Amino acid sequence: MAATVTDVARLAGVSTATVTRTLAGYAHVTARTRERVMKAVDTLGYAPNQNARSLRTLRTQRLIVTVPDISNIFFSSIILGAEAAAQAAGYTILLGDVSLASDSGDKYGQMLHRKEADGLIFLGHTLPPSLRSLIARDPLAPVVNGCEFSPSLGVSSVHIDNAAAAAEAMDHLYELGHRRVGVIMGAPENPINRDRLAGVRSSAEAHGLSAALRIRDGDFSVESGARLAQELLGDSERPTALFCFSDDLAIGALHTVRETGLSCPGDISVAGFDDIRVSAFIDPPLTTVRQPMRDIGGKAVRLLLDIIEGRATSLINLTLPHELVLRASTGPAPSY
Amino acid sequence: MAATVTDVARLAGVSTATVTRTLAGYAHVTARTRERVMKAVDTLGYAPNQNARSLRTLRTQRLIVTVPDISNIFFSSIILGAEAAAQAAGYTILLGDVSLASDSGDKYGQMLHRKEADGLIFLGHTLPPSLRSLIARDPLAPVVNGCEFSPSLGVSSVHIDNAAAAAEAMDHLYELGHRRVGVIMGAPENPINRDRLAGVRSSAEAHGLSAALRIRDGDFSVESGARLAQELLGDSERPTALFCFSDDLAIGALHTVRETGLSCPGDISVAGFDDIRVSAFIDPPLTTVRQPMRDIGGKAVRLLLDIIEGRATSLINLTLPHELVLRASTGPAPSY
DNA sequence: TTGTACGCGTTATCAA
DNA sequence: TTGATAACGCGTACAA
């Protein structure tokens, strides 16, 4: 059905080698032959079979990106950045959502072994199991992590300084006079949460307020934020500020604050994490830690391509800048 | 480096054909040989080269999904549904964001020609150009559309009844006593907007209020919603209700309502479209038209696989149910 | 500058 | 039930 090099060669009256050379561009071909070949390509609508090419060249021009939840805008923004960088370099992204029950554990690690892609980026902390040995064997294996930083993993990575960012947010709340601060985390087994929690604790300690911390964990969803805020606000010694480890959590928490008949920031201050697009537009506009999501995705791809295309000489752990964005959802602690 | 069938065959002391048969599963193989083969596979860590397989079988087990903006939660939710259905059927998704400047026009259509994937789903209205002729030639070409319905396109599709849904939302506003209604659309060249606008107009006409419609268009973003609401609320004859063609638009509009010193739903009612996850949690909770995003993605994949795997006999245009979800952002029109 | 011919790793056909 | 072998489409030595 579809035309092959042989068809093109026959129609142009040349050999298949000449066709390939013409299409490759860099080799020497007479203007006359080139023209004949291009014409044949045109009339036949020829497009090289990528599978045959990959089989031969050991290159696919594809990158796998695995993600805990594609419908989470934090991750989909990172993917947008990755997609842009990949497209610019002539690569395509194979998407993998790891949270789905049907993911048979190690599908995407296997795909790398099967040469379906030239490299893999995993967002979050779930390194595909079958890649462990690969990484152990080859420090410059084409695997990059986004969002987290686990030195022990032995892969290049792109992330912000989560501990420092969390500490900054807490400092801000303490400076506003808050003493009892509630912290709403994502899943505790997630290293990113541990990093942020470390930042929270160090700030609390620096202010001598460790004992006044109230910590809850769940997942990063709006629903979780609403529920955990309920627990915290039901306490007899209610916090006057909530620091949430995602903006979704914060939006859920704000909902609970209103439901409880309290006002933000009058009674309760709320701070988030990520600075997703709606955060500036909700009521009240959300104080939050901005992460450069698109940049994380773009840099991760760049790092991976450096490895794949042989430019990398060592592991790189890239820390991108974050920024505490002050908006109306945080204010002075209420005086009693 | 990586083991091949030949290696496995040699180690197991059988032919390559037997290895393939063993791994395929359905063919007849002695328990004894099977065991030997599996052991060899294990010790060598053998995984079939997918490129060689695709070259031979003309199957890639990959599906391309193109999307106007992956960081838009409406689309990423659809993709989540698509990913789930694809994984369940043993397929992987190749993601393509079409909005990026670097997308050289027809990359993803070409990929289908190059046999990089078995089929393509395009969300939105941008059918990859090079696929037009394919579709014209073969009515059952492996191409499916999500979200839109353009009968003239000649492809199977999954979508809601956008006109009916929009009409329902307008009916709701009119029943609350609103007369001057502002409509905030996405991009007017987008057919989905035209469908919804048709629904809006038919409802207005049915209520004899066509002349009182105020219509603005932009894109589907929060920022656009805020800006267009400003225009509408600045009018001397201000609308008492706003119907936005996405929840993001509505969130932007709500922001402007507050900024203007008006209250929702006291002074202005606001309705959205999509029912994204945060819509129930913002202030006030948003009245909106719920779309079954995950289902749209899942069904689109199912439709595509029916074509690819030869079960489809004709084009199918699937209309999924929508639902008008009433929340606190809409209320009776203010009385003067 | 162009052509010939081989091999990439797999699956499928045919014969044993 | 198993084995030998051809073919998928391409890129690239090597020869001309």
Side-chain angles (χ1 to χ4, degrees):
Chain A
M1 183 76 213
T4 73
V5 261
T6 320
D7 300 329
V8 176
R10 190 165 28 219
L11 181 60
V14 299
S15 74
T16 61
T18 302
V19 175
T20 303
R21 275 192 286 260
T22 306
L23 263 36
Y26 52 77
H28 304 286
V29 181
T30 314
R32 218 178 89 76
T33 16
R34 138 165 265 99
E35 201 178 323
R36 287 233 308 273
V37 170
M38 292 317 255
K39 194 162 158 190
V41 165
D42 239 41
T43 53
L44 291 176
Y46 168 74
N49 181 313
Q50 182 64 34
N51 300 303
R53 169 179 283 177
S54 294
L55 180 59
R56 193 54 232 251
T57 61
L58 302 181
R59 276 298 178 71
T60 61
Q61 303 295 112
R62 288 188 287 262
L63 307 177
I64 300 171
V65 178
T66 69
V67 60
D69 176 11
I70 176 64
S71 73
N72 183 322
I73 189 171
F74 172 69
F75 291 116
S76 62
S77 300
I78 293 179
I79 290 182
L80 180 60
E83 168 85 358
Q87 276 191 21
Y91 285 73
T92 310
I93 284 188
L94 272 165
L95 183 67
D97 192 304
V98 183
S99 72
L100 298 168
S102 54
D103 172 43
S104 42
D106 194 38
K107 185 179 172 194
Y108 298 99
Q110 283 300 330
M111 287 177 58
L112 206 57
H113 287 125
R114 296 183 178 212
K115 307 259 184 284
E116 286 210 65
D118 299 331
L120 180 146
I121 294 171
F122 64 104
L123 304 179
H125 59 290
T126 28
L127 170 65
S130 68
L131 260 35
R132 285 199 172 280
S133 59
L134 175 63
I135 290 168
R137 229 178 309 127
D138 175 10
L140 280 178
V143 178
V144 168
N145 175 251
C147 304
E148 314 265 342
F149 175 39
S150 301
S152 62
L153 234 44
V155 298
S156 287
S157 60
V158 187
H159 44 75
I160 64 166
D161 185 336
N162 280 287
E168 268 175 53
M170 290 297 289
D171 287 349
H172 165 63
L173 295 175
Y174 288 137
E175 276 157 24
L176 286 169
H178 296 277
R179 327 226 77 205
R180 283 194 309 277
V181 176
V183 176
I184 298 185
M185 301 173 49
E189 65 271 21
N190 186 332
I192 213 174
N193 279 298
R194 289 211 293 267
D195 288 350
R196 292 182 190 168
L197 190 56
V200 164
R201 290 200 194 281
S202 81
S203 169
E205 201 162 338
H207 291 82
L209 290 167
S210 295
L213 279 179
R214 298 286 179 275
I215 299 169
R216 290 290 185 283
D217 55 62
D219 57 59
F220 280 125
S221 70
V222 195
E223 290 80 1
S224 185
R227 187 171 44 77
L228 297 176
Q230 245 163 22
E231 291 184 25
L232 288 168
L233 298 185
D235 200 306
S236 60
E237 288 209 309
R238 189 175 80 203
T240 63
L242 299 175
F243 176 31
C244 305
F245 282 8
S246 82
D247 284 356
D248 273 345
L249 284 172
I251 290 172
L254 279 172
H255 183 255
T256 294
V257 168
R258 281 189 303 272
E259 292 278 293
T260 317
L262 298 169
S263 83
C264 170
D267 302 311
I268 311 271
S269 285
V270 175
F273 210 111
D274 293 345
D275 196 26
I276 63 177
R277 212 149 166 203
V278 296
S279 295
F281 291 88
I282 61 174
D283 185 30
L286 192 63
T287 290
T288 187
V289 177
R290 175 177 300 161
Q291 295 203 63
M293 277 92 87
R294 290 188 60 154
D295 217 27
I296 291 177
K299 290 279 201 319
V301 164
R302 229 77 61 75
L303 237 44
L304 183 56
L305 291 183
D306 281 347
I307 295 176
I308 291 172
E309 298 174 352
R311 289 185 297 274
T313 57
S314 68
L315 292 188
I316 295 183
N317 298 107
L318 210 52
T319 303
L320 299 183
H322 60 267
E323 182 190 356
L324 181 62
V325 181
L326 301 183
R327 299 205 185 96
S329 70
T330 50
S335 42
Y336 300 92
Chain B
M1 183 77 215
T4 73
V5 260
T6 319
D7 299 329
V8 176
R10 189 163 29 216
L11 181 58
V14 299
S15 73
T16 62
T18 303
V19 175
T20 301
R21 274 192 288 260
T22 306
L23 263 36
Y26 53 77
H28 305 285
V29 181
T30 313
R32 217 178 88 77
T33 20
R34 139 167 263 99
E35 202 178 322
R36 288 231 307 272
V37 170
M38 292 316 254
K39 194 162 157 191
V41 165
D42 240 41
T43 54
L44 291 175
Y46 168 73
N49 181 312
Q50 183 65 34
N51 299 302
R53 169 180 284 176
S54 294
L55 178 59
R56 189 58 231 247
T57 61
L58 302 180
R59 277 297 178 69
T60 62
Q61 303 295 112
R62 287 189 286 261
L63 307 176
I64 299 171
V65 177
T66 70
V67 59
D69 175 11
I70 176 65
S71 73
N72 182 322
I73 190 171
F74 172 69
F75 291 117
S76 61
S77 299
I78 293 179
I79 289 182
L80 180 60
E83 168 85 359
Q87 275 191 21
Y91 284 73
T92 310
I93 285 187
L94 271 165
L95 183 67
D97 192 302
V98 182
S99 71
L100 298 168
S102 53
D103 171 44
S104 42
D106 193 39
K107 185 180 170 193
Y108 298 99
Q110 283 300 330
M111 286 177 57
L112 207 55
H113 287 124
R114 294 181 180 216
K115 307 258 183 286
E116 286 210 65
D118 299 330
L120 181 145
I121 294 171
F122 63 105
L123 303 179
H125 60 288
T126 27
L127 170 66
S130 68
L131 261 34
R132 286 201 171 281
S133 59
L134 175 63
I135 289 168
R137 229 178 311 126
D138 175 10
L140 279 178
V143 179
V144 167
N145 175 252
C147 305
E148 314 266 341
F149 175 41
S150 300
S152 62
L153 235 42
V155 298
S156 288
S157 61
V158 187
H159 43 75
I160 64 166
D161 186 336
N162 280 289
E168 268 175 54
M170 290 298 290
D171 288 348
H172 165 64
L173 295 175
Y174 288 137
E175 277 157 23
L176 286 169
H178 296 278
R179 328 226 76 205
R180 284 194 307 280
V181 176
V183 176
I184 298 184
M185 301 174 49
E189 65 271 22
N190 186 332
I192 213 173
N193 280 298
R194 289 210 294 266
D195 288 350
R196 291 181 190 169
L197 190 57
V200 165
R201 289 200 194 283
S202 81
S203 169
E205 200 163 337
H207 290 83
L209 290 168
S210 294
L213 278 179
R214 298 287 179 276
I215 299 169
R216 290 289 185 284
D217 55 62
D219 57 59
F220 280 126
S221 69
V222 194
E223 289 80 0
S224 185
R227 187 171 44 77
L228 297 176
Q230 246 164 23
E231 290 185 26
L232 288 168
L233 298 185
D235 199 309
S236 60
E237 288 209 311
R238 188 175 80 203
T240 63
L242 298 176
F243 176 32
C244 306
F245 282 6
S246 81
D247 284 357
D248 273 345
L249 284 172
I251 290 172
L254 278 173
H255 184 255
T256 294
V257 167
R258 280 190 303 273
E259 292 278 293
T260 317
L262 298 169
S263 83
C264 171
D267 302 311
I268 311 270
S269 285
V270 174
F273 210 111
D274 294 344
D275 196 25
I276 62 177
R277 212 150 166 203
V278 297
S279 295
F281 290 88
I282 62 174
D283 185 29
L286 193 63
T287 290
T288 188
V289 176
R290 175 178 299 161
Q291 295 203 63
M293 279 93 88
R294 290 188 60 155
D295 218 27
I296 291 177
K299 290 278 203 317
V301 165
R302 231 77 59 75
L303 236 45
L304 183 56
L305 292 183
D306 281 348
I307 295 176
I308 291 171
E309 297 174 352
R311 289 185 298 273
T313 58
S314 69
L315 291 187
I316 295 182
N317 298 107
L318 210 52
T319 304
L320 299 184
H322 60 268
E323 182 191 356
L324 181 63
V325 180
L326 301 183
R327 300 205 185 95
S329 71
T330 51
S335 41
Y336 300 90

